[in-house]
């Protein structure tokens, strides 16, 4: 039994639920038992047709270089090669759907809700098993068919879908446990059918195939029965409702399709608002989940417009706010902050390796909403943007009309109210004035971006500790800073690396010591109750920001995570030189202190006493900086240590590499002031 499934964990998890959530989960338990005895049955369907096709000439609008990358990726997949979370595979020509190549284990079969999927010893690494079964590699193959007309791609897709459907009958095995997996898989199937529309076997694979119809129906019935609830209504519920809605629009062949479509759209509208700050940033304060939710929302909007289903104005509005927020926070190389958890999750994959995910999202946002003058320039190309925007109506042509206004029973005319039981939703007011200049401070999310013409980008973290009562994807990173020079991580957020199976690594990458901030008495600012559960949240407040001064930009915040002491931090960025000054204060009794600065993997550090000379190479040019560290602390450099973990950087889920971490140890009290200065050389 893993740490997350002990009796103590269940008690801690229960303590973070409200009465409505407890009642809902009890009902889910009863329903699972009933379904074991009497599984639901797919109704008979006749005359099913697929009409949600791409407009003519859509594929011809795909940029040639993006198409070339896509086809190259498809050819690698045809040869059986793929990589999931740092694990290379060569068996994808004929995959074993229950096998984890990382541990060599196969997940057990049986009734889905009996599978011990949280135990790596029993089921293997569940992320490795689930990821191929999102079928996003099949959307790549289907897109390759649409671009080239080569039927080999279509036949491979058909063979893999038939194999998956045979091995994974409804409610059997590991792929019928998690709603996010079912939702994303449905979205993949919609796009597979759309992209294969010119193939003679498409109808026989989907609408004329009783096995496919049975799978599609059961996926939707499952999602309608077991939605993510209460403290779990984060990005998972967006994936569930987006997939449910997409399938109900494109595969609307069943007696329940209209109800599923209506319910899913209502939930999607409500949950997008609940998951998004008024500033447009995602409430989980995990940048990759901002990208995932935005991708899912845009994909759902494409299905609505393709099916001519009226959409509440707030759906488009939230997606607009999210897109503007993304444009505001990325650095000069279009990289967003590395904040909170990241598991490389995508909503819709139709691009080859080397395509910039964030540039792709901004390109889609430009086509749908129109770019603002301050948006960064996107120079790359992608396949997904022309596919999505062939279906989505441009924002100027999709302004609210009487038929797509939310009803008065859902919200007052002036504000969108928070839905019951889902946390606090932003009070989105319509119409919205988009920012005339690039925002730097997002007060509701507590994120501030300091910039310098010298190419310095600095994120200051003064926001809430994650989303909802469990803050599942939060890290104990209050008051941390993240600094880049021309897109290179200098003071880095180390990332995530893993979720399940390696508790000591999960603990490190989400710990206070694992971030560029101050730790007292060797404990985290917030208290963890499990790998996706925080039982006490540090409260942070921003005391002041000034990003208007062209000379010096300033930020100051504090948090109360160390009971009996308050940690306050001031950050100043001198615009002309890019010099960054960080001052840490502790109000309270004398306590042991550790101040950590994590360097990016490209940075080499030469530490002498309390001064580190940093060097790296960017685009063939040598760069350098000097980090003057507080002299009151004793400084050591750590790199690639495992017992305990320290000195690591995770560029993506399942991957880690050694990187230098500078740690100063000593004591802090109300008389101490720790000053760190980062100066960049020409």
């Amino acid at each position: 039994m893993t740490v997350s499934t002990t009796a103590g964990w269940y008690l801690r998890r229960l303590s973070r639920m409200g009465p409505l959530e407890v009642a809902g989960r009890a009902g889910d338990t009863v329903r699972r038992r009933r379904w074991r005895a009497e599984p639901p049955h797919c109704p008979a369907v006749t005359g099913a047709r697929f009409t949600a096709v791409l407009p003519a000439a859509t594929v011809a609008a795909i940029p040639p270089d993006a198409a070339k990358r896509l086809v190259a990726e498809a050819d690698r997949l045809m040869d059986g090669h793929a990589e999931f979370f740092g694990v290379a595979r060569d068996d994808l020509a004929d995959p074993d759907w229950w096998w984890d190549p990382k541990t060599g284990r196969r997940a057990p079969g049986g009734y889905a809700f009996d599978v011990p999927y949280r135990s790596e010893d029993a089921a293997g690494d569940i992320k490795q098993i689930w990821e191929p079964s999102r079928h996003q590699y099949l959307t790549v193959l289907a897109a390759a068919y649409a671009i080239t007309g080569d039927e080999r791609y279509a036949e491979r897709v058909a063979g893999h879908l038939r194999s998956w459907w045979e091995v994974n009958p409804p409610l059997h095995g590991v792929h019928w446990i998690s709603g996010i997996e079912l939702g994303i898989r449905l979205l993949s199937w919609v796009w597979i059918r759309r992209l294969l529309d010119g193939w003679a076997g498409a109808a026989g694979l989907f609408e004329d195939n009783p096995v496919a119809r049975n799978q599609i129906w059961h996926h939707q019935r499952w999602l309608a029965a077991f939605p993510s609830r209460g403290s779990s209504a984060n990005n998972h519920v967006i994936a569930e409702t987006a997939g449910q809605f997409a399938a109900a629009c494109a595969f609307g062949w069943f007696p329940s399709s209209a109800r599923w479509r209506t319910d899913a759209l209502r939930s999607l509208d409500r949950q997008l608002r609940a998951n998004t700050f008024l500033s447009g940033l995602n409430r989980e304060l995990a940048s990759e989940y901002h990208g995932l939710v935005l991708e899912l929302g845009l994909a759902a909007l494409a299905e609505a417009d393709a099916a001519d289903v009226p959409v509440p104005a707030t759906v488009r509005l939230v997606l607009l706010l999210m897109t503007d927020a993304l444009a505001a926070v990325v650095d000069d190389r279009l990289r967003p902050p590395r904040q909170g958890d990241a598991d490389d999750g995508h909503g819709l994959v139709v691009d080859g390796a080397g395509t910039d995910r964030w540039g792709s999202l901004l390109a889609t946002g430009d086509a749908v909403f129109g770019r603002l003058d301050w948006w960064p320039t996107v120079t790359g190309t992608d396949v997904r943007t022309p596919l999505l925007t062939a279906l989505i109506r441009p924002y100027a042509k999709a302004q609210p009309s009487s038929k797509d206004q939310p009803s008065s029973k859902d919200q007052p005319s002036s504000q969108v109210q928070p839905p019951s039981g889902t946390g606090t939703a932003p009070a989105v007011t319509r119409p919205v004035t988009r920012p005339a200049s690039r925002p730097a401070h997002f007060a509701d999310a507590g994120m501030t971006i300091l910039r310098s013409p010298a190419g310095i980008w600095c994120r200051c973290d003064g926001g809430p500790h994650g989303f909802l009562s469990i803050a599942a994807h939060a890290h104990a990173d209050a008051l941390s800073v993240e600094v880049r020079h021309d897109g290179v991580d200098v003071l880095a957020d180390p990332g995530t690396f893993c979720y399940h199976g390696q508790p000591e690594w999960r603990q490190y990458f989400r710990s206070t010591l694992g971030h560029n901030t101050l730790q007292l008495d060797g404990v985290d600012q917030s208290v963890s109750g499990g790998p996706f559960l925080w039982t006490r949240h540090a409260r942070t407040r921003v005391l002041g920001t000034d990003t208007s001064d062209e000379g010096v930009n300033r930020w100051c915040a504090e948090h109360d995570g160390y009971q009996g002491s308050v940690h306050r931090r001031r950050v100043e960025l001198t615009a002309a030189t890019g010099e960054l000054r960080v001052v840490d204060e502790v109000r309270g009794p004398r306590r042991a202190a550790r101040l950590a600065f994590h360097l990016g993997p490209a940075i080499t550090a030469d530490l002498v006493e309390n001064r580190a000379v940093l060097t790296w190479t960017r685009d063939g040019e040598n760069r350098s900086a000097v980090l003057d560290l507080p002299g009151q602390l004793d400084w050591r450099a750590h790199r690639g240590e495992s017992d305990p973990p320290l000195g690591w950087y995770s560029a993506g889920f399942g991957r880690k590499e050694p990187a230098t971490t500078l740690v100063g140890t000593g004591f802090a009290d109300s008389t101490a002031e720790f000053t760190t200065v980062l100066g960049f050389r020409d």
Side-chain angles (χ1 to χ4, degrees):
M1 182 174 289
T2 64
V3 172
S4 64
T5 54
T6 62
W9 177 85
Y10 280 111
L11 289 174
R12 293 191 296 272
R13 185 65 181 85
L14 184 65
S15 72
R16 309 305 292 176
M17 301 181 193
L20 289 178
E21 182 177 356
V22 171
R25 290 177 181 268
D28 291 345
T29 300
V30 171
R31 189 174 296 108
R32 289 174 184 133
R33 291 174 178 171
R34 187 171 71 246
W35 281 18
R36 180 202 296 273
E38 298 182 45
H41 294 286
C42 176
V45 173
T46 58
R49 295 175 59 234
F50 183 82
T51 60
V53 298
L54 288 168
T58 296
V59 173
I62 296 173
D65 57 333
K68 182 178 180 180
R69 290 194 304 272
L70 180 280
V71 173
E73 182 71 17
D75 288 341
R76 285 191 289 272
L77 293 168
M78 290 292 288
D79 290 337
H81 298 291
E83 181 179 311
F84 299 109
F85 309 133
V87 177
R89 298 184 61 161
D90 60 6
D91 64 329
L92 219 62
D94 183 21
D96 181 338
W97 301 109
W98 291 7
W99 180 61
D100 164 29
K102 178 181 170 183
T103 64
R105 299 185 180 97
R106 291 187 85 249
Y111 186 56
F113 299 112
D114 292 340
V115 176
Y117 71 98
R118 290 191 177 97
S119 171
E120 190 170 285
D121 291 339
D125 185 328
I126 195 62
K127 291 279 288 179
Q128 289 287 342
I129 296 173
W130 278 346
E131 190 68 16
S133 288
R134 290 186 173 188
H135 290 167
Q136 293 176 324
Y137 78 95
L138 295 182
T139 57
V140 170
L141 292 175
Y145 165 77
I147 290 170
T148 66
D150 188 336
E151 294 190 353
R152 294 181 306 118
Y153 301 119
E155 289 164 356
R156 175 63 59 82
V157 171
H160 280 206
L161 284 179
R162 289 192 172 102
S163 167
W164 195 93
W165 291 334
E166 179 181 1
V167 173
N168 297 280
L171 303 179
H172 179 78
V174 73
H175 296 301
W176 289 89
I177 296 171
S178 173
I180 188 174
E181 305 304 318
L182 276 74
I184 290 177
R185 192 155 53 238
L186 278 178
L187 185 59
S188 295
W189 291 353
V190 168
W191 274 93
I192 289 169
R193 175 61 184 88
R194 176 174 289 131
L195 292 164
L196 294 184
D197 191 61
W199 180 51
L205 180 62
F206 280 95
E207 57 265 32
D208 295 339
N209 181 359
V211 175
R213 295 197 304 266
N214 186 53
Q215 284 276 350
I216 293 167
W217 184 87
H218 272 281
H219 273 67
Q220 293 188 84
R221 183 69 184 87
W222 193 108
L223 289 171
F226 302 112
S228 292
R229 302 179 184 277
S231 57
S232 294
N234 54 10
N235 65 87
H236 283 232
V237 77
I238 303 295
E240 293 161 10
T241 55
Q244 176 80 301
F245 178 71
C249 287
F251 302 143
W253 307 325
F254 309 104
S256 298
S257 291
R259 175 170 55 83
W260 287 337
R261 184 168 57 245
T262 299
D263 291 348
L265 181 56
R266 182 182 298 114
S267 178
L268 181 67
D269 177 32
R270 185 169 64 247
Q271 298 298 343
L272 277 173
R273 289 183 278 122
N275 276 261
T276 309
F277 286 112
L278 179 58
S279 66
L281 290 177
N282 183 263
R283 282 181 175 269
E284 294 200 74
L285 295 173
S287 300
E288 286 222 1
Y289 287 112
H290 182 107
L292 174 63
V293 169
L294 182 53
E295 288 172 356
L296 291 166
L298 289 168
L301 183 59
E303 299 306 325
D305 286 352
D308 201 25
V309 174
V311 172
T314 43
V315 170
R316 296 182 197 272
L317 178 57
V318 170
L319 298 176
L320 166 63
L321 294 173
M322 292 185 71
T323 306
D324 278 345
L326 176 63
V329 301
V330 294
D331 66 18
D332 294 343
R333 302 279 177 146
L334 302 185
R335 294 178 60 216
R338 284 168 54 86
Q339 182 180 21
D341 273 346
D343 71 348
D344 298 353
H346 291 259
L348 174 65
V349 179
V350 285
D351 274 287
T355 302
D356 182 1
R357 174 188 193 177
W358 309 102
S360 170
L361 277 169
L362 291 177
T364 304
D366 183 2
V368 174
F369 304 115
R371 72 184 309 278
L372 297 172
D373 291 342
W374 54 262
W375 274 30
T377 300
V378 176
T379 57
T381 62
D382 69 311
V383 173
R384 187 176 60 194
T385 290
L387 296 183
L388 282 176
T389 57
L391 302 176
I392 300 175
R393 300 188 189 107
Y395 190 66
K397 298 179 181 179
Q399 294 302 311
S401 64
S402 58
K403 70 176 182 178
D404 58 34
Q405 295 293 328
S407 67
S408 59
K409 68 180 180 180
D410 291 332
Q411 63 184 60
S413 60
S414 61
Q415 284 193 329
V416 176
Q417 296 297 325
S420 174
T422 60
T424 303
V428 179
T429 302
R430 195 176 60 247
V432 163
T433 300
R434 298 174 71 185
S437 59
R438 192 173 200 169
H441 178 56
F442 299 82
D444 47 11
M447 182 188 294
T448 303
I449 307 293
L450 307 181
R451 299 177 188 268
S452 160
I456 310 305
W457 175 98
C458 174
R459 172 180 66 87
C460 302
D461 183 356
H465 181 73
F467 181 46
L468 301 174
S469 61
I470 63 173
H473 291 297
H475 290 186
D477 57 357
L479 307 193
S480 64
V481 295
E482 184 184 1
V483 181
R484 300 174 191 162
H485 181 273
D486 194 22
V488 173
D489 291 313
V490 179
L491 301 183
D493 184 302
T496 299
F497 177 55
C498 67
Y499 282 169
H500 301 282
Q502 297 172 283
E504 71 281 5
W505 291 100
R506 175 64 171 154
Q507 180 180 350
Y508 168 68
F509 275 99
R510 68 205 291 255
S511 70
T512 298
L513 183 61
H515 294 84
N516 298 318
T517 190
L518 182 70
Q519 183 194 57
L520 297 182
D521 288 344
V523 299
D524 287 338
Q525 309 151 337
S526 296
V527 177
S528 173
F532 298 98
L533 171 64
W534 296 92
T535 55
R536 183 172 61 79
H537 304 179
R539 294 177 299 178
T540 306
R541 62 176 183 148
V542 175
L543 303 175
T545 63
D546 183 358
T547 58
S548 61
D549 189 337
E550 295 182 359
V552 180
N553 293 330
R554 296 178 173 86
W555 173 87
C556 181
E558 65 182 21
H559 76 83
D560 66 354
Y562 301 119
Q563 295 179 324
S565 296
V566 173
H567 173 208
R568 177 177 293 181
R569 170 170 277 185
R570 304 193 310 272
V571 178
E572 296 180 351
L573 175 64
T574 302
T577 63
E579 180 182 271
L580 188 80
R581 181 177 296 267
V582 179
V583 180
D584 291 293
E585 305 172 51
V586 176
R587 290 183 294 158
R590 179 179 171 88
R591 305 176 73 165
R594 287 197 290 185
L595 179 60
F597 290 105
H598 300 262
L599 307 182
I603 308 299
T604 298
D606 182 11
L607 176 66
V608 178
E609 295 183 346
N610 66 317
R611 168 171 279 205
V613 177
L614 314 181
T615 56
W616 67 97
T617 301
R618 178 60 156 171
D619 297 334
E621 295 184 7
N622 294 328
R623 311 284 181 89
S624 65
V626 174
L627 187 63
D628 285 315
L629 300 159
Q632 309 98 306
L633 302 175
D634 294 324
W635 289 91
R636 287 187 57 195
H638 303 264
R639 185 176 179 87
E641 299 172 10
S642 299
D643 188 20
L646 187 60
W648 296 91
Y649 179 94
S650 174
F653 195 84
R655 293 173 285 158
K656 69 179 188 299
E657 59 185 302
T660 300
T661 296
L662 305 176
V663 178
T665 59
F667 292 89
D669 58 26
S670 296
T671 65
E673 184 175 276
F674 303 125
T675 300
T676 304
V677 179
L678 176 61
F680 293 87
R681 296 172 172 175
D682 293 335

